[in-house]
Amino acid sequence: MRTNPASETSTSGAVVALQAAASAGVSVCFANPGTTEMPLVGAFDQVQGMRAVLGLFEGVCTGAADGYGRMLGRPAATLLHLGPGLANGLANLHNARRARTPILNIVGDHASWHLKYDAPLTSDIESLARPMSRWYRSVAAADHLWQDTVDGIEASLAAPGGVATLVLPVDFQQLPAPQQIRRAPVPLPAPTFSEARLSDVQQALRARSKVVFLLGDRALSRRGHIAAGRIAAATGARLYSETFPARTERGGGLPDIDRLPYFPEPAIAALKDAVVVLAGAVAPIAYFGYEGLPSELAPPESLATLALPGEAADLALERLAELLDAPAPLAAAPRAPYSVSNGPLTPQAVGRLLSNALPSGAIVSVEGGTCGYPFVTASAQAEHHTILTNTGGAIGQGLPVALGAAVACPDRRVFALQSDGSAQYTIQSLWTMARERLPVVMLIASNRRYGILQTELGRSGIEPGPQAQRLTLLDDPPFDWLALAQGYGVPGLRAQSTDELSQALAHALERTDGPLLIEMRLA
Ligand SMILES: Cc1ncc(C[n+]2csc(CCOP(=O)(O)OP(=O)(O)O)c2C)c(N)n1
């Protein structure tokens, strides 16, 4: 049965939901709305402290919420249009789930009384949402709106963090709903660590001579890096970060912690015969299963857990460093910029030039291996920066994550080091960056192919015929990156040599009024 929508003077459910979100600490919503979200769209102008950011594709919204949440540790909201809008955003919600990023994922739905008629946009939203969501609720009455919204935010933040999906049928958005007393923002988690695990690790360290630490999550904070560096200095242990960390600090004199290699053969060799101490990381598993190679990169009996993801791995490392009487870190050697002589743009030169150019406090969203690996290798020498990587392997996350990080951290310079094939999945991010005047510097590694797929074809022993080759080539026609950028309102530059890239980076750093795209034509 239809009931009267909220009159102009009463408060609609939509306003109540946004007020609840804002008072619980959510201040940004990455949105791509439709008819079933109209009351929420109207409510943005009635609620203080909630910024609505339009994304032209839902994968942009969900990836941006991921970048935002990784940087601030608290959720942004999304606003998506029924099952199909949610489905468009799922790949980046998958990456966010892997990164354990808090997100309040709001999905509008038909009026509850309209659902049974199976109108064209009706679908099983719950089945679509569940695999990416640690919490799911469809609002069952306007009276529940405030509490359901706050419950979703709390669920997204509960350690180790994740996606909470809140479905808002449009009738409950329209109906008057009770407001509740304003409450303080939902507190951020204050993680602890387990002393029992600490003593297990101490025992394991005594038992074996080769020790490897695998660091993830909070172990990759500044404090975690410094403590791990002390432990390595005291014990000779080898330090690795997860191959694709959600967020890691780097540079600025922090210890140079290598990533665990991507391919299983070198990763297995790195961990062989060692006790592998997991600090904020889970047991290392091969990215793909290859016939004849184990999925587990280290045998289960070689693992010792110091702290789980979501626990205070950084504090646990500090405590272990104290127990080991590890010396305080040495003062960092002065930073020596790389000298790169003029020549063609190789991935190694790109990595070094970007490392030289990063201002202190930069954020770098890295997607794609071609320049990603050489950059991370080089960037221990850079000023202090934060790296965000593709945690779940669903490509099309690098540009949206950079967008979200720029919204979250307006005082920090944001770079997207982006392979060309992956950039095309969520290229609409450029328009939102331009519209919001976000000074993101996009560096497109233009190799005009799906490089990793060519490598994988080689590994699988397949001699590619013409069709297989065409499935990995992007050169006919080549993307016109400058035209694409211009089409979305973003200025662009092309660099074909190392000198041209240095100049383009210098120019990019002078600009603060919006994004810039640099096409790096790789040799
Ligand atoms: C959503 C999704 N679709 C497809 C893939 C398969 N895939 C993995 S890497 C890749 C191509 C990457 O090419 P590019 O971004 O240009 O990086 P390069 O290896 O050339 O640096 C594809 C299609 C994926 N991982 N995720």
Side-chain angles (χ1 to χ4, degrees):
M1 257 306 278
R2 250 182 222 257
T3 333
N4 281 339
S7 73
E8 270 177 32
T9 48
S10 66
T11 309
S12 71
V15 168
V16 168
L18 291 190
Q19 277 174 343
S23 64
V26 174
S27 55
V28 173
C29 178
F30 297 101
N32 188 270
T35 305
T36 45
E37 295 78 42
M38 283 303 126
L40 282 163
V41 169
F44 280 107
D45 288 314
Q46 296 173 52
V47 174
Q48 294 265 311
M50 180 67 82
R51 174 177 175 189
V53 177
L54 179 62
L56 301 182
F57 173 68
E58 292 82 350
V60 173
C61 302
T62 52
D66 185 8
Y68 180 99
R70 287 193 207 185
M71 289 312 304
L72 295 190
R74 58 186 162 84
T78 58
L79 179 59
L80 310 176
H81 186 50
L82 305 98
L86 170 64
N88 277 344
L90 283 179
N92 274 335
L93 287 178
H94 161 85
N95 290 326
R97 181 177 80 88
R98 288 282 169 188
R100 306 181 186 89
T101 308
I103 293 178
L104 178 65
N105 181 43
I106 301 177
V107 184
D109 197 5
H110 283 305
S112 53
W113 43 262
H114 190 58
L115 269 179
K116 64 180 176 210
Y117 299 107
D118 197 26
L121 273 161
T122 308
S123 67
D124 182 353
I125 297 180
E126 182 169 358
S127 290
L128 292 168
R130 281 276 182 205
M132 310 309 168
S133 311
R134 66 200 314 240
W135 181 96
Y136 174 91
R137 190 176 294 167
S138 181
V139 175
D143 284 8
H144 301 173
L145 267 169
W146 183 285
Q147 195 56 47
D148 284 349
T149 306
V150 174
D151 286 351
I153 293 165
E154 282 175 350
S156 77
L157 278 168
V163 177
T165 297
L166 180 68
V167 178
L168 285 183
V170 66
D171 49 340
F172 303 139
Q173 298 174 35
Q174 284 168 318
L175 288 169
Q179 284 168 292
Q180 303 204 358
I181 352 141
R182 276 189 95 75
R183 36 182 284 171
V186 174
L188 300 186
T192 54
F193 65 89
S194 142
E195 292 284 347
R197 287 212 192 86
L198 192 67
S199 69
D200 288 351
V201 165
Q202 279 183 291
Q203 240 177 2
L205 293 188
R206 282 192 285 269
R208 220 141 347 143
S209 57
K210 181 175 170 189
V211 179
V212 170
F213 279 72
L214 183 62
L215 311 173
D217 193 43
R218 287 183 154 79
L220 295 172
S221 64
R222 278 181 81 84
R223 285 178 78 162
H225 267 79
I226 292 168
R230 290 174 60 197
I231 293 167
T235 62
R238 183 84 208 252
L239 306 176
Y240 285 104
S241 93
E242 292 174 327
T243 314
F244 296 108
R247 170 181 177 162
T248 181
E249 305 308 304
R250 197 154 170 79
L254 290 177
D256 179 359
I257 299 178
D258 217 355
R259 304 207 265 179
L260 189 69
Y262 171 78
F263 284 117
E265 297 89 340
I268 289 167
L271 304 177
K272 193 170 164 26
D273 299 329
V275 57
V276 179
V277 180
L278 302 173
V282 294
I285 301 297
Y287 207 85
F288 292 106
Y290 297 94
E291 216 48 62
L293 288 171
S295 298
E296 292 170 323
L297 298 172
E301 61 278 10
S302 71
L303 303 175
T305 300
L306 180 65
L308 296 169
E311 294 181 341
D314 46 356
L315 305 187
L317 287 166
E318 278 182 358
R319 183 90 185 98
L320 182 60
E322 277 165 32
L323 292 171
L324 291 166
D325 238 347
L330 298 174
R335 201 174 77 84
Y338 295 98
S339 98
V340 181
S341 48
N342 192 26
L345 268 187
T346 61
Q348 191 200 45
V350 168
R352 292 180 167 194
L353 289 174
L354 178 57
S355 293
N356 285 352
L358 288 183
S360 179
I363 299 165
V364 189
S365 169
V366 177
E367 181 167 55
T370 297
C371 288
Y373 293 112
F375 164 69
V376 177
T377 302
S379 79
Q381 297 298 319
E383 295 282 1
H384 166 249
H385 58 285
T386 301
I387 295 178
L388 310 172
T389 76
N390 186 324
T391 44
I395 59 178
Q397 79 127 56
L399 295 177
V401 158
L403 191 177
V407 170
C409 304
D411 300 332
R412 301 177 64 175
R413 284 311 300 255
V414 178
F415 295 75
L417 180 60
Q418 181 65 56
S419 285
D420 52 358
S422 304
Q424 288 294 347
Y425 286 64
T426 40
I427 187 70
Q428 311 90 334
S429 306
L430 269 64
W431 182 81
T432 305
M433 289 179 191
R435 183 186 221 219
E436 300 293 321
R437 310 283 188 271
L438 301 170
V440 177
V441 181
M442 288 167 276
L443 295 157
I444 305 293
S446 166
N447 63 358
R448 303 162 301 279
R449 58 197 150 91
Y450 287 156
I452 180 69
L453 297 197
Q454 294 185 337
T455 307
E456 292 282 10
L457 264 177
R459 276 177 65 89
S460 63
I462 294 169
E463 189 53 53
Q467 299 231 61
Q469 272 176 13
R470 272 171 62 81
L471 285 173
T472 66
L473 284 172
L474 307 174
D475 59 345
D476 179 22
F479 309 127
D480 185 339
W481 282 103
L482 301 191
L484 279 167
Q486 196 189 18
Y488 284 115
V490 174
L493 292 172
R494 178 175 295 136
Q496 312 209 57
S497 67
T498 50
D499 275 2
E500 284 176 12
L501 180 58
S502 300
Q503 284 159 19
L505 282 165
H507 173 72
L509 287 168
E510 282 163 12
R511 300 183 74 251
T512 52
D513 56 346
L516 178 79
L517 181 145
I518 302 173
E519 178 192 1
M520 306 186 298
R521 282 221 147 217
L522 298 182

